[in-house]
Structure formats: structure tokens, C-alpha cells
Amino acid sequence: MTRILVLYYSSYGHVRALARAEAEGARSVPGTCVELRRVPETVPEAVRARVGFAADDTPVATIAELESYDAIIFGTPTLFGMMAGQMKSFLDQAGGLWARNALTGKVAAVFASTGSQHGGHEATLLSTQIPLQHFGMLIAGLPYSFAGQTTADSVIGGAPYGAGTIAGADGSRQPSETDLAGARFQGAHVARIAQRLAGTRQQGEAA
């Protein structure tokens, strides 16, 4: 079985909705085992309650478990044109994995939520890929074979660099069906690539 991790941080539930769609897409590929995890919260519970953060009972990931997966799909909201601090803090703790090249050759992908169409959507997707490449991971985006990202009929998230959604200035806009379809597409895309790479490694080891 090819093991896929969908790892995310979500404040108001938009990224969590995309994460579930990513996991659904990855599970649609036979021979995959998909797990959904979130990074640890750093905002105090009293503050979360005051600003209306969504409750989330998804299990929390640990750094140590990352190397056990063949692919990791990372999801984050956009904060000032970059990934959320919670995700950055989590990745900053993975120096031991980096030192051992434990993530080298594994597939990685990114998806994101942003408040507006011009609020740093693509900047977040691209800049989140940077530390993943330092880990030696292979980046999978959202190819144009997902035709939904070219529509101009409505506001949509996502880009060739990854799936996404536009939450609106007040966070009231939920991911559209096109946004969710893009996340499912990306999840399946990552799973298929990871399977091919895993098969190639097994053939090499057998030889």
C-alpha cells in the first residue's frame, strides 16, 4: 500500500474542508492508505474561542511520523501572503529529518485558502513549496488537466501550483464544488505519482 498523509492547519474550517477532499481524491486511487492529520495549534484556547476559530478533532501529527509516508499533501491558510505560522513552526522542527535526508524523494503537494483573489494565494502555494524542496521532496501541483481552474464563470481558488479556495474577507464563503473538485483531483494526482515512484524503488531494490 502507498501511504499518503494529508497534513493541514485550519483556523475557520476552509482548509480542513479542502483537506478532506484531498484525502478523498487520494483514496480513490486503489492501493493507497490515506491519513488525515493537523499540525499542533499554537493559539491559546481562550483566544481561539474569542475570535471564532472552528473546533477540530482531527488527530495531531508528529514530526517523527512524516518519514513513514510516501507522499505528504500540505494545506495552509494564507496569512500576509505566506503559510500560517503554525505550519511553519511545525516544519521548523523537522531539522532532524532534513539532516538524515529522511524525506528525500517523497512526493509533496500544497493547497491553500486565501481571503481574496489577490491576497497572496499563489504566493502562499509557491513559498510553502520552498522548505519542502529543501527536504528533497518532489513537488506535484495541480495540472491543467483539471479544467476547472481555467473557468471564468465564478470565483475559484487554486492554481497550477496547488488547489485552493477563496474564503472571502469575512471568511463566510465556503469552498465551491470546483474548489473541492480541484482538491480531489490533486489528491488523486499525488497518489498516482507516489505509487509509480514506490513501484520504481521496489523494482530497483529487487534488482
Side-chain angles (χ1 to χ4, degrees), residues 15-88:
V15 176
R16 179 178 59 187
L18 291 175
R20 290 171 173 170
E22 292 271 358
E24 181 183 346
R27 289 189 184 105
S28 72
V29 178
T32 59
C33 174
V34 183
E35 296 183 28
L36 191 64
R37 296 283 188 272
R38 61 185 174 92
V39 301
E41 180 60 271
T42 60
V43 177
E45 184 57 38
V47 177
R48 285 179 53 87
R50 187 170 70 248
V51 298
F53 278 17
D56 193 343
D57 60 359
T58 302
V60 174
T62 64
I63 291 294
E65 69 184 281
L66 298 186
E67 63 181 304
S68 66
Y69 296 96
D70 299 295
I72 306 174
I73 307 174
F74 298 84
T76 177
T78 296
L79 294 177
F80 306 111
M82 301 174 66
M83 75 173 84
Q86 290 83 350
M87 180 63 74
K88 182 63 166 61

